[in-house]
Amino acid sequence: MTLRILHTADLHLDSPLRSLAMKDDRLAAQVRGASRQALETMVQYCIDERVSAFLISGDLYDGQERSAKTAAYLAAQMHRLAQADVRVFYIKGNHDAENPIAGEIDLPPNVHVFDGRGEKVQLADHPVYIHGVSFRDRHAPESLLPKYTVPEAGAVNIAMMHTSLAGAEGHDLYAPVSVGELAGAGFDYWALGHVHKRAVHSEDPWIVMPGMPQGRDIGEAGPKSASLLTIEDGKISVSEVATSVVEFRRCDCDVTGAEADEDLRRKLRSVFQAQAGRGAAILRLRLTGQTALAWQIRQLADIWRAQADEIADSIGDLWIEKMSVDVTAVSEDAVDGAVAEVQQLMTDIAKEPATRDRLQQELSQILGLLPADQRRALAPDAEAQEALLRQLTDEAVLTMAAQMRGAGE
């Protein structure tokens, strides 16, 4: 008999927007609803493809966000799976452990929520056992591996764990464990969660971090998926099932050769049409290249952003989260030469230690006024704060130069 099991993690249902650049109500609605749509995509896949079990390896919820509507919605989706005779196995991650509704939802009997002590459950009457350990609270500074039950002899053993492994960029250390330790534990498949980027760390045994099924900002860019286990004659094969409803993407538009406004609009439309061909997306747009319109684009950046929004909207299923301008001028006439000298002078002044210290102090004061989560998103450490300062000063110099260029003309 062939069995199929779908593995996902880190849904962060109804999580709030993390990008400060998202001020467009349409963008906000698109992202807020996307995590639910991703779950519905996976539930429907389980039903249509007669999947035997659905594994959720932690962070089904998002922190302390309390919502009765989220609870009701989740229960309804689990009931759909119950009607299709799909078993659901769920371990709590760090976000679930701190979520007040995580332990209050009345879920149907097809859903098994693992406790923090460690246990195993047989999948119906199949020679397949699911092992799991949930987080008891939001912190897990020590390895959870010793809590796992011994693999069942003569069966396929799947272990669910929410862990950062030995550490991952952008993630705090949770339930630390090495790939080698997992590989030596005797399980056939490790269904991991916590790190939002997909990674297959081993194929013998399988050690899979599925990544999150739906990105929430540009830091979680690209297509997302769940992992499908196919078990046949005791052997496991793994494939991907697409889950993301909308992708975050970085997108460059080379404006080289644009000599009139209509040329630039034509180039934007061409780039957006190519993006639309890859599915719905939220774009981080960057204008690049060399053009006679360089100073005009910088001077009228807000107007060009509005035009880009209109073009994307006319194509459909595209939204622009942010637009940056990284273009250079073609000609070097008298005005350009004078502005270039002043621009270089401003750049030199901005690099002077006294100026940098003063600007750094002002930036620190501004960041201090923001809520903690927004402050962490913008500048989580000193290196990120320094990079933010460089970006702000560079943009300020270029904006002033563009204004001077316009006044000179």
Side-chain angles (χ1 to χ4, degrees), residues 256-267:
T256 299
E259 298 181 357
D261 290 2
E262 186 54 37
D263 296 333
L264 180 51
R265 284 190 285 268
R266 191 180 304 112
K267 286 178 177 290

Side-chain angles (χ1 to χ4, degrees), residues 6 31 173 196 233 256 297 314 328 354 374 401:
L6 194 65
V31 176
L173 195 63
H196 293 177
D233 296 329
T256 299
I297 293 172
S314 69
T328 56
Q374 295 180 354

Side-chain angles (χ1 to χ4, degrees), residues 330-401:
V330 173
S331 64
E332 282 292 339
D333 58 24
V335 174
D336 285 331
V339 170
E341 289 185 22
V342 177
Q343 179 180 341
Q344 185 60 53
L345 179 61
M346 289 188 293
T347 300
D348 292 341
I349 293 174
K351 291 180 179 179
E352 292 180 357
T355 305
R356 300 293 289 181
D357 289 345
R358 186 170 68 254
L359 293 175
Q360 190 66 261
Q361 291 175 4
E362 293 182 4
L363 178 59
S364 296
Q365 291 174 359
I366 294 171
L367 291 173
L369 298 175
L370 297 175
D373 59 337
Q374 295 180 354
R375 187 167 60 250
R376 285 194 299 270
L378 271 177
D381 51 37
E383 183 178 350
Q385 186 168 326
E386 176 63 26
L388 177 60
L389 179 61
R390 286 197 302 271
Q391 177 186 351
L392 292 173
T393 53
D394 290 347
E395 290 180 358
V397 169
L398 288 170
T399 299
M400 293 175 66

Side-chain angles (χ1 to χ4, degrees), residues 266-278:
R266 191 180 304 112
K267 286 178 177 290
L268 285 168
R269 180 172 294 278
S270 176
V271 167
F272 291 162
Q273 286 173 338
Q275 291 291 329
R278 298 165 53 193

Side-chain angles (χ1 to χ4, degrees), residues 56 58 60-61 88-92 96 102 112-114 134 160:
I56 304 174
L60 177 57
Y61 308 100
V88 180
F89 297 91
Y90 162 47
I91 58 171
K92 295 179 181 179
D96 301 319
H112 181 84
V113 183
F114 287 95
S134 283
M160 303 172 66

Side-chain angles (χ1 to χ4, degrees), residues 22 28 61 99 105 115-116 131 153 174 200 225 274 278 286 292 325 340 364:
M22 282 190 185
Y61 308 100
N99 189 289
I105 302 175
D115 60 29
H131 304 245
Y174 285 98
V200 177
S225 64
R278 298 165 53 193
R286 184 172 70 115
V325 179
S364 296

Side-chain angles (χ1 to χ4, degrees), residues 33-49:
S35 60
R36 288 193 179 198
Q37 293 178 57
L39 176 59
E40 290 174 25
T41 295
M42 292 185 287
V43 168
Q44 193 61 51
Y45 183 90
C46 288
I47 295 170
D48 292 343
E49 299 299 323

Side-chain angles (χ1 to χ4, degrees), residues 36-224:
R36 288 193 179 198
Q37 293 178 57
L39 176 59
E40 290 174 25
T41 295
M42 292 185 287
V43 168
Q44 193 61 51
Y45 183 90
C46 288
I47 295 170
D48 292 343
E49 299 299 323
R50 300 180 180 273
V51 170
S52 298
F54 184 34
L55 312 182
I56 304 174
S57 295
D59 285 0
L60 177 57
Y61 308 100
D62 192 76
Q64 297 183 1
E65 295 297 313
R66 178 190 291 270
S67 171
K69 291 183 178 180
T70 301
Y73 167 78
L74 178 64
Q77 295 302 314
M78 296 302 102
H79 276 289
R80 290 181 61 201
L81 292 172
Q83 291 172 353
D85 197 28
V86 178
R87 296 289 305 276
V88 180
F89 297 91
Y90 162 47
I91 58 171
K92 295 179 181 179
N94 52 297
H95 281 275
D96 301 319
E98 64 178 328
N99 189 289
I101 68 171
E104 301 173 6
I105 302 175
D106 184 18
L107 295 172
N110 67 311
V111 180
H112 181 84
V113 183
F114 287 95
D115 60 29
R117 297 186 300 272
E119 53 184 327
K120 63 182 175 185
V121 179
Q122 186 174 5
L123 177 56
D125 58 353
H126 304 296
V128 176
Y129 287 81
I130 314 296
H131 304 245
V133 177
S134 283
F135 275 36
R136 290 180 179 273
D137 55 48
R138 64 187 302 265
H139 296 293
E142 298 178 354
S143 174
L144 297 177
L145 188 58
K147 294 186 176 183
Y148 281 77
T149 53
V150 176
E152 191 75 15
V156 173
N157 289 271
I158 298 171
M160 303 172 66
M161 179 184 284
H162 197 78
T163 173
S164 60
L165 294 175
E169 183 179 355
H171 294 270
D172 294 331
L173 195 63
Y174 285 98
V177 65
S178 70
V179 170
E181 289 172 317
L182 295 180
F187 295 95
D188 300 291
Y189 182 98
W190 278 99
L192 305 182
H194 184 65
V195 180
H196 293 177
K197 185 176 180 179
R198 177 178 173 79
V200 177
H201 295 281
S202 171
E203 295 186 8
D204 185 21
W206 287 100
I207 301 176
V208 179
M209 188 75 71
M212 66 190 321
Q214 174 58 57
R216 297 169 296 170
D217 62 22
I218 195 65
E220 297 165 347
K224 305 301 178 184

